[in-house]
Amino acid sequence: MAPPVSRILISPEALQAGVARLGRQITSDYRERDLVLVGILKGALFFLADLARAVSLPLEIGFIGLSSYGASTETSGAVRITHPLDTRIEGRDVLIVEDIVDSGLTLDHLLRLLSAQRPRSLNACALLHKPTRRRVSVPLPYVGFTIEDVFVVGYGLDLDQKYRNLPYIGVIEKAPPSPPPSG
Ligand code: 5GP
């Protein structure tokens, strides 16, 4: 079945160019540092894999799992840890790698959570940013693409756990309604 994507917002080639640019920026900013990339599961999976290879520095990769939208396209504001951080970050230079910053609630929560573990520095990098939807102010020095207020899938981003494997970022104009509870 064809994905319910109405248009391609960012092509595979444009994605790779954006990731390469971020990689160069991070490489120049984190020289002589003890860099740890902390990817947020599952949306940042492909972005992290490509970004890590675009950074020409020794680095470590960690993952943390946070709950996302579930089967809907609207944020609940609630953030739940589904997989604890698997890397020691105390005294190290941590860069959170997010797929998309929308309301900013997830990143805000994660920044507080990780700063309690006393990293030497803590920053965030997002592939996509929807500034018009921002509800909390979060520092975001590394952004791949700023996008309009649309719901997107592909390159790690899902709708109800599907379409993560699309090689581009595509727009879903209208999310299909959640199925009624069965039984
Ligand atoms: P925030 O907490 O900033 O509102 O949302 C962050 C999380 O919401 C992202 O990590 C992502 O999982 C999900 N999200 C926000 N916007 C979109 C979108 O357009 N498409 C998809 N698939 N997920 C989104």
Coordinates of all heavy atoms in Angstrom, one line a residue, residues 48-141:
L48 N 20.5 10.0 13.6 CA 21.7 9.8 14.4 C 22.8 9.0 13.7 O 24.0 9.3 13.7 CB 21.3 9.1 15.7 CG 22.5 8.8 16.6 CD1 23.2 10.1 17.2 CD2 22.1 7.9 17.8
A49 N 22.3 7.9 13.0 CA 23.3 7.1 12.3 C 24.0 7.9 11.2 O 25.2 7.7 11.0 CB 22.5 5.9 11.6
D50 N 23.3 8.7 10.5 CA 23.9 9.5 9.4 C 24.8 10.7 10.0 O 25.9 10.9 9.6 CB 22.9 10.1 8.5 CG 22.3 9.0 7.6 OD1 23.0 8.0 7.4 OD2 21.2 9.3 7.0
L51 N 24.2 11.3 11.1 CA 24.9 12.4 11.7 C 26.3 12.0 12.3 O 27.3 12.6 12.1 CB 24.1 13.1 12.8 CG 24.6 14.3 13.4 CD1 24.8 15.5 12.4 CD2 23.8 14.8 14.6
A52 N 26.2 10.9 13.0 CA 27.4 10.4 13.7 C 28.5 10.1 12.6 O 29.7 10.4 12.9 CB 27.1 9.1 14.4
R53 N 28.2 9.7 11.4 CA 29.2 9.4 10.4 C 29.6 10.7 9.7 O 30.6 10.7 9.0 CB 28.6 8.4 9.4 CG 28.6 7.0 10.0 CD 28.0 6.0 9.0 NE 26.6 6.2 8.9 CZ 25.8 5.5 8.1 NH1 26.4 4.6 7.3 NH2 24.5 5.8 8.0
A54 N 28.8 11.8 9.9 CA 29.2 13.1 9.3 C 30.1 13.9 10.2 O 30.6 15.0 9.9 CB 28.0 13.9 8.9
V55 N 30.3 13.4 11.5 CA 31.1 14.1 12.4 C 32.5 13.4 12.4 O 32.6 12.2 12.7 CB 30.5 14.1 13.9 CG1 31.4 14.7 14.9 CG2 29.1 14.8 13.9
S56 N 33.5 14.2 12.1 CA 34.9 13.6 12.0 C 35.6 13.7 13.3 O 36.7 14.4 13.4 CB 35.7 14.3 10.9 OG 34.9 14.4 9.8
L57 N 35.1 13.2 14.4 CA 35.7 13.2 15.7 C 35.4 11.9 16.4 O 34.4 11.2 16.1 CB 35.0 14.3 16.6 CG 35.2 15.8 16.1 CD1 34.3 16.6 17.0 CD2 36.6 16.2 16.2
P58 N 36.3 11.5 17.3 CA 35.9 10.3 18.1 C 34.7 10.7 19.0 O 34.7 11.8 19.6 CB 37.2 10.1 19.0 CG 38.0 11.3 18.9 CD 37.6 12.1 17.7
L59 N 33.7 9.8 19.1 CA 32.5 10.2 19.8 C 31.9 8.9 20.3 O 32.2 7.8 19.9 CB 31.5 11.0 19.0 CG 31.0 10.4 17.7 CD1 29.9 9.4 17.9 CD2 30.5 11.5 16.8
E60 N 31.0 9.0 21.3 CA 30.3 7.9 21.8 C 28.8 8.1 21.5 O 28.4 9.2 21.5 CB 30.6 7.8 23.3 CG 30.1 6.5 23.9 CD 30.5 6.3 25.4 OE1 31.7 6.7 25.7 OE2 29.7 5.8 26.2
I61 N 28.1 7.0 21.4 CA 26.7 7.1 21.1 C 25.9 6.4 22.2 O 26.2 5.3 22.6 CB 26.4 6.4 19.7 CG1 27.0 7.1 18.6 CG2 24.8 6.3 19.5 CD1 26.9 6.5 17.2
G62 N 24.9 7.1 22.7 CA 24.0 6.6 23.7 C 22.5 6.8 23.2 O 22.3 7.5 22.3
F63 N 21.6 6.0 23.8 CA 20.2 6.2 23.5 C 19.4 6.3 24.7 O 19.7 5.8 25.8 CB 19.7 4.9 22.7 CG 20.2 4.8 21.3 CD1 21.2 4.0 21.0 CD2 19.6 5.6 20.3 CE1 21.7 3.9 19.7 CE2 20.1 5.5 19.0 CZ 21.1 4.7 18.7
I64 N 18.3 7.1 24.5 CA 17.3 7.1 25.6 C 15.9 7.0 24.9 O 15.8 7.5 23.7 CB 17.4 8.4 26.4 CG1 16.4 8.4 27.6 CG2 17.2 9.7 25.6 CD1 16.7 9.5 28.7
G65 N 15.0 6.3 25.5 CA 13.7 6.1 24.8 C 12.7 7.0 25.6 O 12.6 6.9 26.8
L66 N 12.0 7.8 24.8 CA 10.9 8.6 25.4 C 9.6 8.4 24.6 O 9.6 8.1 23.5 CB 11.2 10.1 25.3 CG 12.5 10.6 26.0 CD1 12.7 12.1 25.7 CD2 12.4 10.3 27.5
S67 N 8.5 8.5 25.4 CA 7.2 8.3 24.7 C 6.9 9.5 23.8 O 7.3 10.6 24.1 CB 6.1 8.1 25.7 OG 5.9 9.3 26.4
S68 N 6.2 9.2 22.7 CA 5.9 10.3 21.8 C 4.4 10.4 21.7 O 3.7 10.2 22.7 CB 6.6 9.9 20.4 OG 6.2 10.9 19.5
Y69 N 3.9 10.7 20.4 CA 2.5 11.0 20.3 C 1.6 9.8 20.4 O 0.4 9.9 20.3 CB 2.3 11.6 18.9 CG 2.7 13.0 18.8 CD1 2.9 13.6 17.6 CD2 2.9 13.8 20.0 CE1 3.2 14.9 17.5 CE2 3.3 15.1 19.9 CZ 3.5 15.7 18.6 OH 3.8 17.0 18.5
G70 N 2.1 8.6 20.4 CA 1.3 7.4 20.3 C 0.6 7.3 19.0 O 1.2 7.6 18.0
A71 N -0.7 7.1 18.9 CA -1.4 6.9 17.7 C -2.0 8.2 17.2 O -2.7 8.2 16.2 CB -2.4 5.8 17.9
S72 N -1.7 9.3 17.8 CA -2.4 10.5 17.4 C -1.3 11.4 16.8 O -0.1 11.1 16.8 CB -3.0 11.2 18.6 OG -3.2 12.5 18.4
T73 N -1.7 12.6 16.3 CA -0.7 13.6 15.8 C -0.6 14.8 16.6 O 0.1 15.7 16.3 CB -1.1 14.0 14.3 OG1 -2.4 14.5 14.3 CG2 -1.0 12.8 13.4
E74 N -1.2 14.8 17.8 CA -1.2 15.9 18.7 C -0.4 15.5 20.0 O -0.6 14.5 20.5 CB -2.6 16.4 19.1 CG -3.2 17.3 18.0 CD -2.4 18.6 17.8 OE1 -2.0 19.2 18.7 OE2 -2.2 18.9 16.6
T75 N 0.4 16.4 20.5 CA 1.2 16.1 21.7 C 0.3 16.1 22.9 O -0.6 16.9 23.0 CB 2.4 17.1 21.9 OG1 3.1 16.6 23.0 CG2 1.9 18.5 22.2
S76 N 0.6 15.2 23.8 CA -0.2 15.2 25.0 C 0.5 16.0 26.1 O -0.1 16.4 27.1 CB -0.3 13.7 25.6 OG 1.0 13.3 25.9
G77 N 1.8 16.3 25.8 CA 2.5 17.1 26.8 C 3.2 16.2 27.9 O 4.1 16.6 28.5
A78 N 2.7 14.9 27.9 CA 3.3 14.0 28.9 C 4.5 13.3 28.2 O 4.5 12.9 27.1 CB 2.3 13.0 29.3
V79 N 5.6 13.2 29.0 CA 6.8 12.6 28.5 C 7.1 11.4 29.4 O 7.2 11.6 30.7 CB 8.0 13.5 28.5 CG1 9.2 12.9 28.0 CG2 7.6 14.7 27.6
R80 N 7.3 10.2 28.9 CA 7.5 9.0 29.7 C 8.8 8.4 29.2 O 9.0 8.3 28.0 CB 6.3 8.1 29.5 CG 6.2 6.9 30.4 CD 4.9 6.2 30.2 NE 4.6 5.9 28.9 CZ 4.9 4.7 28.3 NH1 5.6 3.8 29.0 NH2 4.6 4.5 27.0
I81 N 9.6 7.9 30.1 CA 10.9 7.2 29.7 C 10.5 5.7 29.4 O 10.0 5.0 30.2 CB 12.0 7.3 30.8 CG1 12.4 8.7 31.0 CG2 13.2 6.4 30.4 CD1 13.4 8.9 32.0
T82 N 10.8 5.3 28.2 CA 10.5 3.9 27.8 C 11.8 3.1 27.8 O 11.8 1.9 27.7 CB 9.9 3.9 26.4 OG1 10.7 4.6 25.5 CG2 8.5 4.6 26.4
H83 N 13.0 3.8 27.7 CA 14.3 3.1 27.7 C 15.3 4.0 28.4 O 15.5 5.1 27.9 CB 14.7 2.8 26.3 CG 16.0 2.2 26.1 ND1 16.2 0.8 26.1 CD2 17.3 2.8 25.9 CE1 17.5 0.6 25.9 NE2 18.2 1.7 25.8
P84 N 15.8 3.6 29.6 CA 16.7 4.5 30.3 C 18.0 4.8 29.5 O 18.4 4.0 28.7 CB 17.0 3.8 31.6 CG 16.7 2.4 31.3 CD 15.7 2.3 30.2
L85 N 18.6 6.0 29.8 CA 19.9 6.3 29.1 C 20.9 5.2 29.4 O 21.2 4.9 30.6 CB 20.4 7.7 29.6 CG 21.7 8.2 29.0 CD1 21.6 8.3 27.5 CD2 22.1 9.5 29.6
D86 N 21.6 4.8 28.3 CA 22.5 3.6 28.5 C 24.0 4.0 28.5 O 24.8 3.2 28.3 CB 22.2 2.6 27.4 CG 22.3 3.3 26.0 OD1 22.8 4.4 25.9 OD2 21.8 2.6 25.0
T87 N 24.2 5.3 28.7 CA 25.6 5.8 28.7 C 25.9 6.7 29.9 O 25.0 7.5 30.2 CB 25.8 6.7 27.4 OG1 25.3 5.9 26.3 CG2 27.3 6.9 27.1
R88 N 27.1 6.7 30.4 CA 27.5 7.6 31.5 C 27.8 8.9 30.9 O 28.6 9.0 29.9 CB 28.7 7.0 32.2 CG 29.1 7.7 33.4 CD 30.5 7.2 33.9 NE 31.5 7.3 32.9 CZ 32.2 8.4 32.6 NH1 31.9 9.5 33.2 NH2 33.1 8.4 31.6
I89 N 27.2 10.0 31.4 CA 27.4 11.3 30.8 C 28.0 12.3 31.8 O 28.4 13.5 31.3 CB 26.1 11.9 30.2 CG1 25.0 12.1 31.3 CG2 25.6 11.1 29.1 CD1 23.9 12.9 30.9
E90 N 28.3 12.0 33.0 CA 28.8 12.9 34.0 C 30.2 13.4 33.5 O 31.1 12.7 33.1 CB 29.0 12.2 35.3 CG 29.4 13.2 36.4 CD 29.5 12.6 37.8 OE1 29.0 11.5 38.0 OE2 30.1 13.3 38.6
G91 N 30.3 14.8 33.5 CA 31.6 15.4 33.1 C 31.9 15.4 31.6 O 33.0 15.7 31.2
R92 N 30.9 15.0 30.8 CA 31.2 14.8 29.4 C 30.3 15.9 28.6 O 29.5 16.5 29.1 CB 30.8 13.4 28.9 CG 31.5 12.4 29.8 CD 31.3 11.0 29.4 NE 32.0 10.7 28.2 CZ 31.8 9.5 27.6 NH1 31.0 8.6 28.0 NH2 32.5 9.3 26.5
D93 N 30.7 16.0 27.3 CA 30.0 17.0 26.4 C 28.9 16.3 25.6 O 29.1 15.5 24.7 CB 31.0 17.6 25.5 CG 32.1 18.4 26.2 OD1 31.7 19.3 26.9 OD2 33.2 17.9 26.2
V94 N 27.7 16.5 26.1 CA 26.5 15.8 25.6 C 25.8 16.6 24.6 O 25.4 17.8 24.8 CB 25.6 15.4 26.8 CG1 24.3 14.8 26.2 CG2 26.3 14.5 27.7
L95 N 25.5 15.9 23.4 CA 24.6 16.6 22.4 C 23.4 15.6 22.2 O 23.6 14.5 21.7 CB 25.4 16.7 21.1 CG 24.7 17.5 20.0 CD1 24.4 18.9 20.4 CD2 25.6 17.5 18.8
I96 N 22.2 16.1 22.6 CA 21.0 15.4 22.4 C 20.7 15.4 20.9 O 20.7 16.5 20.3 CB 19.9 16.0 23.2 CG1 20.1 15.9 24.7 CG2 18.5 15.4 22.9 CD1 19.2 16.7 25.5
V97 N 20.3 14.3 20.3 CA 19.9 14.2 18.9 C 18.5 13.9 18.8 O 18.1 12.7 19.1 CB 20.8 13.2 18.2 CG1 20.5 13.2 16.7 CG2 22.3 13.6 18.3
E98 N 17.7 14.8 18.4 CA 16.2 14.7 18.3 C 15.8 14.7 16.8 O 16.4 15.3 16.0 CB 15.6 16.0 18.8 CG 14.9 16.0 20.2 CD 13.5 15.5 20.2 OE1 13.2 14.5 19.5 OE2 12.7 16.1 20.9
D99 N 14.7 14.0 16.5 CA 14.2 14.0 15.2 C 13.5 15.3 14.9 O 13.8 16.0 13.9 CB 13.2 12.8 14.9 CG 12.1 12.7 16.0 OD1 12.1 13.5 16.9 OD2 11.2 11.8 15.8
I100 N 12.6 15.8 15.8 CA 11.9 17.0 15.5 C 11.5 17.7 16.8 O 11.2 17.0 17.8 CB 10.6 16.7 14.7 CG1 9.9 18.0 14.3 CG2 9.7 15.7 15.4 CD1 8.8 17.8 13.2
V101 N 11.7 19.0 16.8 CA 11.2 19.8 18.0 C 10.0 20.6 17.6 O 10.0 21.3 16.6 CB 12.3 20.8 18.5 CG1 11.7 21.7 19.6 CG2 13.5 20.0 19.1
D102 N 8.9 20.3 18.3 CA 7.6 20.8 17.9 C 7.1 21.7 19.0 O 7.5 22.9 19.0 CB 6.6 19.5 17.8 CG 5.3 19.9 17.3 OD1 5.0 21.0 16.8 OD2 4.4 19.0 17.3
S103 N 6.4 21.2 20.1 CA 6.1 22.1 21.2 C 7.4 22.4 22.0 O 7.4 23.4 22.7 CB 5.1 21.4 22.1 OG 5.7 20.3 22.7
G104 N 8.4 21.6 22.0 CA 9.6 21.7 22.8 C 9.5 21.0 24.1 O 10.5 21.0 24.9
L105 N 8.3 20.5 24.4 CA 8.1 19.8 25.7 C 9.1 18.7 26.0 O 9.6 18.5 27.1 CB 6.7 19.4 25.9 CG 5.6 20.5 26.0 CD1 4.2 20.0 25.9 CD2 5.8 21.3 27.3
T106 N 9.2 17.8 24.9 CA 10.1 16.6 25.1 C 11.5 17.1 25.4 O 12.2 16.6 26.3 CB 10.0 15.8 23.8 OG1 8.7 15.5 23.5 CG2 10.8 14.5 24.0
L107 N 12.0 18.0 24.6 CA 13.4 18.5 24.7 C 13.6 19.2 26.1 O 14.6 18.9 26.8 CB 13.8 19.4 23.6 CG 15.2 19.8 23.5 CD1 16.2 18.7 23.6 CD2 15.5 20.7 22.3
D108 N 12.6 20.0 26.5 CA 12.7 20.7 27.7 C 12.8 19.7 28.9 O 13.7 19.8 29.8 CB 11.4 21.5 27.9 CG 11.5 22.3 29.2 OD1 12.5 23.1 29.4 OD2 10.5 22.2 30.0
H109 N 12.0 18.6 28.8 CA 12.0 17.6 29.9 C 13.4 16.9 29.9 O 14.0 16.6 30.9 CB 10.9 16.6 29.6 CG 10.7 15.6 30.6 ND1 9.9 15.7 31.7 CD2 11.2 14.3 30.7 CE1 10.0 14.7 32.5 NE2 10.7 13.8 31.9
L110 N 13.9 16.6 28.7 CA 15.1 15.8 28.6 C 16.3 16.6 29.1 O 17.2 16.1 29.7 CB 15.3 15.4 27.1 CG 16.4 14.3 26.9 CD1 16.2 13.1 27.7 CD2 16.5 14.0 25.4
L111 N 16.3 17.9 28.7 CA 17.4 18.8 29.2 C 17.5 18.8 30.7 O 18.6 18.7 31.3 CB 17.2 20.2 28.6 CG 17.5 20.4 27.1 CD1 17.0 21.7 26.6 CD2 19.0 20.3 26.9
R112 N 16.3 18.9 31.4 CA 16.3 18.9 32.8 C 16.8 17.5 33.4 O 17.6 17.5 34.3 CB 14.9 19.1 33.4 CG 14.4 20.5 33.2 CD 12.9 20.5 33.4 NE 12.2 21.6 32.7 CZ 12.0 22.8 33.3 NH1 12.4 23.0 34.5 NH2 11.5 23.7 32.6
L113 N 16.3 16.5 32.7 CA 16.7 15.1 33.2 C 18.2 14.9 33.1 O 18.8 14.4 34.0 CB 15.9 14.1 32.3 CG 15.7 12.7 32.7 CD1 14.6 12.6 33.7 CD2 15.5 11.8 31.5
L114 N 18.7 15.2 31.9 CA 20.2 15.0 31.7 C 21.1 15.9 32.5 O 22.2 15.5 32.9 CB 20.5 15.0 30.2 CG 19.8 13.9 29.4 CD1 20.4 13.9 28.0 CD2 19.9 12.5 30.0
S115 N 20.6 17.2 32.7 CA 21.5 18.1 33.4 C 21.6 17.6 34.9 O 22.7 17.9 35.5 CB 21.0 19.5 33.3 OG 19.7 19.6 33.8
A116 N 20.7 16.9 35.4 CA 20.8 16.3 36.8 C 22.0 15.3 36.9 O 22.5 15.0 37.9 CB 19.5 15.7 37.2
Q117 N 22.4 14.8 35.7 CA 23.5 13.8 35.7 C 24.9 14.5 35.5 O 25.9 13.9 35.2 CB 23.3 12.8 34.6 CG 22.0 11.9 34.9 CD 21.8 10.8 33.9 OE1 22.8 10.2 33.4 NE2 20.6 10.5 33.6
R118 N 24.9 15.9 35.6 CA 26.1 16.7 35.6 C 27.0 16.5 34.4 O 28.2 16.3 34.6 CB 26.9 16.5 36.9 CG 26.1 16.9 38.1 CD 26.9 16.4 39.3 NE 26.2 16.8 40.6 CZ 26.3 18.0 41.1 NH1 27.1 18.9 40.6 NH2 25.7 18.3 42.2
P119 N 26.5 16.6 33.2 CA 27.4 16.6 32.0 C 28.3 17.9 32.1 O 27.8 18.9 32.7 CB 26.5 16.6 30.8 CG 25.2 17.2 31.3 CD 25.1 16.9 32.8
R120 N 29.4 17.9 31.4 CA 30.2 19.1 31.3 C 29.5 20.2 30.5 O 29.5 21.4 30.8 CB 31.6 18.8 30.7 CG 32.5 20.0 30.6 CD 33.9 19.5 30.2 NE 34.6 20.7 29.7 CZ 35.3 20.6 28.6 NH1 35.5 19.5 27.9 NH2 35.9 21.7 28.1
S121 N 28.9 19.7 29.4 CA 28.1 20.7 28.6 C 26.9 19.9 28.0 O 27.0 18.6 27.9 CB 28.9 21.3 27.4 OG 29.3 20.3 26.5
L122 N 25.8 20.6 27.8 CA 24.6 19.9 27.3 C 24.0 20.8 26.2 O 23.6 22.0 26.5 CB 23.7 19.7 28.5 CG 22.3 19.0 28.2 CD1 22.6 17.6 27.7 CD2 21.5 18.9 29.5
N123 N 23.8 20.2 25.0 CA 23.2 20.9 23.9 C 22.3 20.0 23.2 O 22.3 18.8 23.4 CB 24.4 21.4 23.0 CG 24.7 22.9 23.2 OD1 23.8 23.7 23.3 ND2 25.9 23.2 23.2
A124 N 21.6 20.6 22.2 CA 20.6 19.8 21.4 C 20.8 20.1 19.9 O 21.0 21.2 19.5 CB 19.2 20.1 21.9
C125 N 20.5 19.0 19.2 CA 20.5 19.1 17.7 C 19.3 18.4 17.2 O 19.0 17.3 17.6 CB 21.8 18.3 17.2 SG 21.8 18.1 15.4
A126 N 18.5 19.1 16.4 CA 17.3 18.5 15.9 C 17.3 18.5 14.4 O 17.7 19.5 13.7 CB 16.0 19.3 16.3
L127 N 16.9 17.5 13.8 CA 16.8 17.4 12.3 C 15.8 18.5 11.8 O 16.1 19.2 10.9 CB 16.4 16.0 11.8 CG 16.2 15.9 10.3 CD1 17.5 16.0 9.6 CD2 15.5 14.7 9.9
L128 N 14.6 18.5 12.5 CA 13.5 19.4 12.1 C 13.1 20.2 13.2 O 13.1 19.8 14.4 CB 12.3 18.6 11.5 CG 12.6 17.5 10.4 CD1 11.3 16.7 10.2 CD2 13.1 18.2 9.2
H129 N 12.6 21.4 12.9 CA 12.1 22.4 13.9 C 10.9 23.0 13.4 O 10.8 23.5 12.2 CB 13.2 23.4 14.1 CG 12.9 24.4 15.1 ND1 13.3 25.7 15.0 CD2 12.1 24.4 16.2 CE1 12.9 26.4 16.0 NE2 12.1 25.6 16.8
K130 N 9.8 23.0 14.2 CA 8.5 23.7 13.8 C 8.4 24.9 14.8 O 7.7 24.7 15.8 CB 7.4 22.7 14.0 CG 7.1 21.7 13.0 CD 5.8 21.0 13.2 CE 5.8 19.6 12.9 NZ 4.6 18.8 13.3
P131 N 9.0 26.0 14.5 CA 8.9 27.1 15.5 C 7.6 27.6 15.8 O 7.3 28.1 16.9 CB 9.8 28.2 14.8 CG 10.0 27.8 13.4 CD 9.7 26.3 13.3
T132 N 6.6 27.5 14.9 CA 5.3 28.1 15.1 C 4.5 27.3 16.2 O 3.5 27.8 16.7 CB 4.4 28.1 13.8 OG1 4.4 26.8 13.3 CG2 5.0 29.1 12.8
R133 N 5.0 26.1 16.5 CA 4.2 25.3 17.5 C 4.9 25.3 18.9 O 4.4 24.7 19.8 CB 4.2 23.9 17.0 CG 3.6 23.7 15.6 CD 2.3 23.0 15.7 NE 2.4 21.8 16.4 CZ 1.3 21.1 16.8 NH1 0.1 21.5 16.5 NH2 1.5 20.0 17.5
R134 N 5.9 26.1 19.0 CA 6.7 26.1 20.2 C 5.9 26.5 21.4 O 5.2 27.5 21.4 CB 7.9 27.0 20.0 CG 9.0 26.9 21.1 CD 9.6 25.5 21.0 NE 10.7 25.5 20.1 CZ 11.9 26.0 20.4 NH1 12.2 26.6 21.5 NH2 12.9 25.9 19.5
R135 N 5.9 25.8 22.5 CA 5.2 26.1 23.7 C 6.1 26.5 24.9 O 5.8 27.1 25.8 CB 4.3 25.0 24.2 CG 3.0 25.0 23.4 CD 2.2 23.7 23.5 NE 1.8 23.3 24.8 CZ 1.2 22.2 25.2 NH1 1.0 21.3 24.3 NH2 0.9 22.0 26.4
V136 N 7.4 25.9 24.8 CA 8.4 26.3 25.8 C 9.7 26.7 25.1 O 9.9 26.2 24.0 CB 8.7 25.1 26.8 CG1 7.6 24.9 27.8 CG2 9.0 23.9 26.1
S137 N 10.4 27.6 25.7 CA 11.7 28.0 25.1 C 12.8 27.0 25.5 O 13.1 26.8 26.6 CB 11.9 29.4 25.6 OG 13.2 29.7 25.4
V138 N 13.4 26.5 24.4 CA 14.5 25.6 24.7 C 15.7 26.0 23.8 O 15.5 26.4 22.6 CB 14.2 24.1 24.3 CG1 13.5 23.4 25.5 CG2 13.3 24.0 23.1
P139 N 16.9 25.9 24.3 CA 18.1 26.2 23.4 C 18.2 25.2 22.3 O 18.2 24.0 22.6 CB 19.3 26.2 24.4 CG 18.8 25.4 25.5 CD 17.3 25.5 25.6
L140 N 18.4 25.6 21.1 CA 18.5 24.6 20.0 C 19.5 25.1 19.0 O 19.2 25.7 17.9 CB 17.1 24.4 19.3 CG 16.9 23.3 18.4 CD1 17.3 21.9 19.1 CD2 15.5 23.2 17.9
P141 N 20.8 25.0 19.3 CA 21.9 25.6 18.5 C 22.1 24.9 17.1 O 22.6 25.5 16.2 CB 23.1 25.5 19.3 CG 22.9 24.4 20.3 CD 21.4 24.4 20.5

